[in-house]
Amino acid sequence: MKKLPLEGVRVLDISQVMAGPYACMLLADLGADVIKIEPPGGGDQTRGAMGFKMKGPDSLGFLNMNRNKRSVTLNLKSKAGREVLLRLVKDADILLENYRPGAMKRLGLGYEAVKEINPRLVYTSISGFGQTGPWADRPGFDLMAQAMSGVMSVTGYPDGPPVKAGVPVADIGCALFAVYATLSAYIGAKSSGQGQHVDASLFDSALAFSVWDICDYWGTGKEPEPLGTSNKMTAPYQAMACSDGYFVMGANNQKLWLQLCKLMGREELLADERFSTISLRLANRHALELELEKSFRLKPKDYWVSLFLEAGIPAGPILTYPEAFGSEHAKAREMRMEIDHPIEGKAPNIGFAVKLSGTPQQVRRHPPLLGEHTDEVLAELGIDAAGRAGLQAQGAFSI
């Protein structure tokens, strides 16, 4: 087996819940030695999340965001706990934290302090609204980022109540942006010897997804509105009603529009001035939808999807998550895998979202039990049993 790309890179994961742990798991999947620093007692809040119980104390959500890591419990409110962390910092390459802005600094663990110990350290902070700005001190979760970034304003249907995206776009988006920036800073530090502070926020990440909507506003001055499943750039490109439900299709250029009308036997639509160009079809989107659904409602979705795909027109069914993960394609892409776990036996995990041909990601470690690797990591620091007992007496590993 080839050496993984990030083998030898040490990451200190001082984060909880989603964006931070997910970002660190991506680094771990590529070979990084990720040491998850958790508070004594309950550990990462996500261990006790979700509305159902597993065999052990950890939620399935935790198990899906923390594979390939080692867990160390440290009370960072204690001087002894902070001293252990600073010893870990000395040989670390990356530290990622998601405390409220200013909290790590108050503990004496902010970037300015730790870079004195390790100048090449890349120190990544994830927060709701960033380390600076009028909203920096606000607590921030995915819902707030979606609401305050504008994402919710364009989600749902016109005149409907507020709707959030069904998946945590700000959390996952921030994790991905944080990984790209962190690795870029790490590569830079390899040659310069100087690390830097990476400031990633859910708010900024959600704003970064606004490309089409904000460009439309900047260009026209018209405030973007929710469009349901439709698209502001082209039409028809949306979900359509048929005889047994809905399916999605996209005749999103003039060539496909001509082909669609002929394939459906609706050539009269080509002569309808309302639909002659993309701009006119957008302006008359609702009328276009009604016209097309007159035909679509005569046949089931499988008929239309097969017909369009054979003709090269993009189309697909609307699947539930069980249907999507159970599909032959998801199985071929290995998007569900089973991880061996000391308590759960087999724990289902979402598969690797990108595939590397030469150095594919590996599951090297099960999601760790709380504090499972504390003794192991202390031994690597040269702290023996007597030293551990002394630290324990000083509150390094307890509340």
Side-chain angles (χ1 to χ4, degrees), residues 121-316:
L121 182 75
V122 175
Y123 189 111
T124 298
S125 296
I126 288 178
S127 61
F129 297 95
Q131 301 299 302
T132 60
W135 297 346
D137 289 336
R138 293 191 181 199
F141 293 99
D142 181 85
L143 179 64
M144 289 72 208
Q146 286 197 36
M148 298 173 69
S149 66
V151 169
M152 285 178 65
S153 75
V154 296
T155 306
Y157 283 87
D159 302 320
V163 178
K164 74 176 184 68
V167 294
V169 292
D171 269 327
I172 296 295
C174 187
L176 298 177
F177 284 127
V179 167
Y180 118 85
T182 298
L183 289 179
S184 297
Y186 169 74
I187 292 169
K190 292 283 283 184
S191 58
S192 70
Q194 295 297 313
Q196 58 182 296
H197 190 191
V198 175
D199 177 1
S201 84
L202 275 64
F203 176 75
D204 294 357
S205 300
L207 277 177
F209 290 138
S210 71
V211 177
W212 294 122
D213 295 289
I214 196 60
C215 287
D216 189 46
Y217 173 69
W218 287 338
T220 67
K222 183 180 178 182
E223 190 172 295
E225 297 177 345
L227 296 173
T229 65
S230 299
N231 183 276
K232 65 172 59 267
M233 304 300 296
T234 190
Y237 185 82
Q238 64 188 88
M240 292 286 185
C242 56
S243 67
D244 63 347
Y246 290 85
F247 70 102
V248 294
M249 53 80 61
N252 54 344
N253 59 45
Q254 201 66 10
K255 178 182 177 181
L256 291 176
W257 168 246
L258 296 173
Q259 191 174 357
L260 173 70
C261 292
K262 293 176 181 177
L263 193 64
M264 295 175 63
R266 296 293 305 275
E267 287 87 347
E268 80 277 7
L269 295 178
L270 298 175
D272 193 319
E273 187 62 29
R274 296 174 299 170
F275 311 136
S276 59
T277 67
I278 291 177
S279 295
L280 287 169
R281 290 197 291 277
L282 284 169
N284 297 284
R285 183 188 288 112
H286 183 61
L288 174 64
E289 178 182 341
L290 293 177
E291 283 293 341
L292 292 176
E293 287 186 346
K294 287 179 182 178
S295 298
F296 291 149
R297 290 179 184 277
L298 299 176
K299 300 282 187 179
K301 54 180 174 285
D302 288 347
Y303 170 84
W304 293 114
V305 170
S306 297
L307 180 69
F308 291 159
L309 291 180
E310 288 173 9
I313 297 174

Side-chain angles (χ1 to χ4, degrees), residues 30-48:
L30 288 168
D33 175 20
V34 176
I35 300 176
K36 185 174 180 69
I37 308 297
E38 301 188 70
D44 185 333
Q45 297 172 38
T46 309
R47 287 186 182 272

